[in-house]
Amino acid sequence: MSESNQYDSCFDRPRLVIKKVLAKPQSEGNGAVVRRSIGRHELRNLDPFLMLDEFSVSAPAGFPDHPHRGFETVTYMVEGAFTHQDFAGHKGTINTGDVQWMTAGRGIIHSEMPAGEGSQKGLQLWINLSSKDKMIEPRYQELLDEDIPRAENNGVQVKIIAGEAMGVQSPVYTRTPTMYLDFTLQSTTYYHQAIPESWNSFVYIVEGEGVFGIPNSGTVSAHHCLVLGPGEGLSVWNKSSKPLRFVLLGGQPLNEPVVQHGPFVMNSQDEIDQTFEDYQYCKNGFENARYWRSGH
């Protein structure tokens, strides 16, 4: 917590909100509903981020067998549980507060399906991989809620999924340098979070409402994605009577061309064409696709 007055930004150059996108519900997968912010036409991508979905899924809806290549998916359960399976034999369930950090690399086919009664809610983020990493072997990092570092100060709580906050560092390895912080600010609290100056960053509001950037900017409510401009860090105030929960994400831009076709993200159209051929003929990373089907 800054020693300065709570209405000082504490940064000489605070990051200001330069774009605000309301994530509206849309259908995705098999009967699932997502609120997409990054990845919709108003905000196609924010290097290195390709997509952010807030999902709400009740069985039998879900995301049955589908491929990925060229990026990472980060699934963070806000409420409920999801079970995943892939064609390399990997299988598991993530519950409320757990994270699955999947590097698709050269190719994966997997399914993600709700694992409980009622609505299962969470956030899924897509992070691009640099051209040198797009064809690496797939890998997973799974973080259980109780193993994710936390810090607290003066009514501000943070879960440090990736990066650092309040002097606490996450053990997660991010191939594309990334910060992923889950903040809860109690009523009438504030916080100042430094962000590496060369990184792009944004906020997604999960619940409540807050003031971001400078103290006299307008209040913004849940389901909004706020793109932050350049600067040293983000200042946020909760002036309301209810808790404010948001995730702050930052990443080092790759500054490479992005050619995306659905679940495949490469650097050129030729590479996308090759990916479709690899997928169709079960080669170059998709060999296991010939025989594998999930149990869903």
Side-chain angles (χ1 to χ4, degrees):
M1 189 69 64
S2 164
E3 294 299 316
S4 60
N5 180 289
Q6 74 167 83
Y7 292 113
D8 293 345
S9 83
C10 135
F11 298 114
D12 291 334
R13 288 177 300 106
R15 287 185 179 242
L16 305 182
V17 176
I18 58 171
K19 187 166 198 167
K20 183 169 81 171
V21 175
L22 176 61
K24 297 172 185 153
Q26 65 184 63
S27 294
E28 194 69 25
N30 184 6
V33 175
V34 305
R35 289 178 177 268
R36 181 162 298 167
S37 47
I38 297 175
R40 53 189 295 137
H41 61 87
E42 305 99 301
L43 187 53
R44 188 44 75 204
N45 56 51
L46 179 66
D47 188 11
F49 305 110
L50 301 163
M51 191 189 85
L52 180 69
D53 281 354
E54 177 186 5
F55 59 84
S56 178
V57 183
S58 301
F63 305 98
D65 305 4
H66 59 280
H68 294 295
R69 174 182 275 180
F71 60 98
E72 300 185 301
T73 67
V74 184
T75 307
Y76 181 31
M77 292 307 298
V78 173
E79 183 183 308
F82 251 61
T83 295
H84 53 270
Q85 299 180 29
D86 74 31
F87 71 1
H90 192 272
K91 192 173 181 177
T93 298
I94 51 173
N95 294 284
T96 303
D98 297 348
V99 176
Q100 183 206 67
W101 200 296
M102 182 185 85
T103 304
R106 64 200 300 254
I108 201 86
I109 298 179
H110 72 159
S111 65
E112 302 161 291
M113 302 296 282
E117 298 297 313
S119 188
Q120 319 296 307
K121 298 176 180 173
L123 300 172
Q124 186 170 91
L125 176 72
W126 290 11
I127 307 174
N128 202 5
L129 288 169
S130 67
S131 53
K132 71 180 187 333
D133 289 335
K134 284 190 177 295
M135 294 296 283
I136 60 174
E137 289 297 320
R139 69 190 290 259
Y140 287 88
Q141 298 176 85
E142 284 181 12
L143 300 156
L144 298 180
D145 182 43
E146 62 260 30
D147 296 332
I148 297 172
R150 288 166 166 77
E152 185 170 350
N153 193 341
N154 293 350
V156 178
Q157 294 100 18
V158 60
K159 275 179 74 177
I160 303 125
I161 296 165
E164 184 178 344
M166 295 188 194
V168 178
Q169 181 87 33
S170 164
V172 168
Y173 171 70
T174 59
R175 197 165 284 280
T176 299
T178 305
M179 74 185 323
Y180 193 147
L181 305 173
D182 176 6
F183 281 99
T184 301
L185 273 66
Q186 300 305 319
S187 177
T188 67
T189 60
Y190 60 97
Y191 192 69
H192 308 295
Q193 172 65 42
I195 300 167
E197 291 204 42
S198 61
W199 289 17
N200 288 329
S201 61
F202 70 95
V203 161
Y204 187 79
I205 303 171
V206 177
E207 60 183 88
E209 57 183 33
V211 174
F212 295 84
I214 49 176
N216 59 357
S217 59
T219 301
V220 191
S221 58
H223 313 301
H224 278 92
C225 179
L226 309 177
V227 179
L228 304 176
E232 299 163 293
L234 171 69
S235 296
V236 54
W237 295 265
N238 180 5
K239 301 180 182 182
S240 74
S241 60
K242 293 179 177 160
L244 161 67
R245 184 179 182 188
F246 66 92
V247 291
L248 170 62
L249 289 129
Q252 188 173 312
L254 299 173
N255 299 315
E256 294 181 353
V258 175
V259 182
Q260 178 171 358
H261 198 291
F264 304 136
V265 183
M266 302 301 286
N267 298 110
S268 69
Q269 187 57 48
D270 283 351
E271 290 172 345
I272 289 288
D273 294 344
Q274 182 64 53
T275 299
F276 271 102
E277 184 179 311
D278 293 345
Y279 178 56
Q280 186 176 356
Y281 293 104
C282 303
K283 63 180 189 178
N284 290 338
F286 288 108
E287 287 80 359
N288 291 338
R290 195 179 301 278
Y291 308 106
W292 182 80
R293 300 292 177 271
S294 73
H296 294 129

